[in-house]
Amino acid sequence: MSSPTPLSALDLSFVTTQTPPSKALAQTIELAKHLDGLGYKRLWLAEHHSLASIASSAPEIMIGQVAAVTQNIRVGSGGVMLTNHAPLMVAERFKLLEALFPGRIDLGLGRAPGTDQVTAFALRRKMEERQGDDFLERLQELMLWETGEFPEGHPFNKVFAMPTDAPLPPIWLLGSSDYSAQLAAQIGVGYSFASHFSDFDAVAPMRAYRELFRPSEGLEKPYSIIALAAVVAETDEEADHLAKTYDLNWIRRARGEMKPLASPEEADAHPWTEAERAYVARKRVRLFAGSPRTVVTRLRRFVEETEADEVMVTSSVFDHGKRMRSYELLMREWVASVGAPATLEA
């Protein structure tokens, strides 16, 4: 019997109408311990700013907290929004984490600021002004802090990132279209596609990454992760009920309302219009909701289509206990299904 494709998780420290931000952060720590015990391969923490439903604004701090209370699970950023940070600071923080937790840290990088334009300006107002999309410039500088190969005469030539005896953790590029897939392939790093919020079809960029990949010193073969949203419960009906939190959140975000996550009961009480129901139906196509067998059967087909090496799941279930149960049910069925043909009708 073959080994299952590894399962990992992405957590945003979800704020709900009953869970304030500080408690959401504590729940992330609890979830991390749970995932470590279940055998999840890695847990990534996100960077978002000024969003009422997400408490995760400083992933490098949470990474240290999570790594300190877990044993085996890899912990990383999903991701650090490089446009918000000086590359030297990113290099030092993640080399420090790697020194403290050797072999367990990942450095996932994103291009977007993780917030609105005004907040992005506030995040960068003390930084040197750069013109246009400077992600490539920042990425190159970050990698140079690791190699120390700044040209002779460069002002950074004699500056070094501490701790010098700890390597930069593995770099991953995160994306929701084909741009990051092609860039990750060209520089020979891992790639993760954000299917949980992207309307872009995942198959093309995931396969393009594999086809265009160039081996590097850090990675000999392509390695891709498909990130997706899932809600798993004992029955399809219960999962559909829990997923109503997603439904109302999608409608609110479409209106520009960034509120804490609502309960399924609050979503039921919402005065739904036909247009809203149609919008939610389109969004539900990207959500893996159902019983363990329903979700795993669909998920295994998705892995085959995208040729993903790993699956990363995020679950914004309103109730924290049921969120942890969702991850447990998924892992149990995922492992049990190895070797079984994926023939169930969608």
Side-chain angles (χ1 to χ4, degrees):
M1 182 176 292
S2 60
S3 300
T5 301
L7 279 186
S8 293
L10 167 68
D11 192 61
L12 283 64
S13 300
F14 295 106
V15 180
T16 76
T17 54
Q18 296 180 7
T19 309
S22 57
K23 185 175 180 180
L25 295 171
Q27 288 180 346
T28 290
I29 301 296
E30 185 181 3
L31 175 63
K33 296 176 183 178
H34 186 57
L35 296 174
D36 194 28
L38 290 172
Y40 277 76
K41 181 171 184 176
R42 68 185 93 230
L43 171 62
W44 282 0
L45 295 314
E47 178 188 343
H48 290 282
H49 303 277
S50 194
L51 292 180
S53 61
I54 298 173
S56 182
S57 58
E60 64 274 22
I61 294 177
M62 290 300 293
I63 289 169
Q65 295 294 310
V66 166
V69 298
T70 53
Q71 298 295 321
N72 301 307
I73 195 168
R74 294 187 65 93
V75 192
S77 54
V80 164
M81 302 295 105
L82 193 54
T83 56
N84 297 337
H85 308 281
L88 175 58
M89 291 298 294
V90 175
E92 289 196 325
R93 289 168 181 171
F94 277 81
K95 284 165 72 70
L96 190 153
L97 286 166
E98 181 66 25
L100 293 172
F101 309 102
R104 291 184 57 206
I105 306 299
D106 295 323
L107 174 51
L109 300 170
R111 293 174 59 213
T115 187
D116 60 89
Q117 292 184 347
V118 175
T119 307
F121 174 77
L123 288 165
R124 299 185 61 179
R125 63 183 304 224
K126 293 294 185 181
M127 297 170 64
E128 176 189 0
E129 187 66 28
R130 307 192 190 195
Q131 299 298 320
D133 184 348
D134 60 0
F135 178 79
L136 279 175
E137 180 184 349
R138 289 174 179 273
L139 177 60
Q140 181 181 37
E141 183 180 319
L142 174 64
M143 298 176 79
L144 285 171
W145 287 120
E146 172 66 4
T147 64
E149 296 175 352
F150 286 101
E152 188 67 32
H154 192 283
F156 297 161
N157 186 259
K158 298 187 183 302
V159 182
F160 50 86
M162 286 291 287
T164 55
D165 61 341
L168 201 64
I171 290 177
W172 297 77
L173 293 192
L174 319 182
S176 55
S177 64
D178 56 355
Y179 175 87
S180 293
Q182 295 180 27
L183 178 57
Q186 289 173 7
I187 65 176
V189 299
Y191 173 65
S192 179
F193 183 83
S195 182
H196 56 294
F197 67 78
S198 177
D199 290 326
F200 198 94
D201 182 62
V203 174
M206 289 286 284
R207 292 191 173 182
Y209 164 73
R210 189 169 297 279
E211 293 168 2
L212 300 173
F213 184 84
R214 299 176 183 175
S216 67
E217 185 176 341
L219 192 64
E220 294 183 357
K221 299 187 297 183
Y223 194 97
S224 62
I225 298 176
I226 187 70
L228 52 90
V231 176
V232 186
E234 301 289 350
T235 66
D236 289 341
E237 293 74 20
E238 183 184 358
D240 179 73
H241 176 70
L242 297 177
K244 291 177 180 179
T245 292
Y246 277 91
D247 297 343
L248 186 55
N249 190 49
W250 286 326
I251 292 300
R252 286 175 169 175
R253 295 196 68 154
R255 294 175 175 173
E257 300 174 3
M258 305 303 182
K259 297 181 178 181
L261 296 181
S263 67
E265 290 73 24
E266 184 178 347
D268 270 335
H270 177 77
W272 292 94
T273 67
E274 289 303 314
E276 288 175 340
R277 293 186 186 280
Y279 179 78
V280 163
R282 293 193 298 271
K283 299 292 284 187
R284 277 282 192 119
V285 172
R286 300 286 185 190
L287 178 64
F288 289 70
S291 67
R293 184 165 182 256
T294 297
V295 171
V296 166
T297 301
R298 181 183 167 197
L299 184 52
R300 289 180 60 212
R301 285 201 302 268
F302 193 47
V303 169
E304 292 175 1
E305 292 170 358
T306 59
E307 300 181 353
D309 297 293
E310 187 173 328
V311 175
M312 181 168 284
V313 175
T314 185
S315 184
S316 56
V317 173
F318 179 82
D319 181 271
H320 179 58
K322 292 179 180 178
R323 184 187 313 148
M324 294 208 299
R325 179 64 171 163
S326 177
Y327 283 110
E328 181 179 346
L329 290 171
L330 176 60
M331 176 60 83
R332 182 186 301 170
E333 182 69 20
W334 188 247
V335 173
S337 70
V338 175
T343 57
L344 184 67
E345 292 288 331

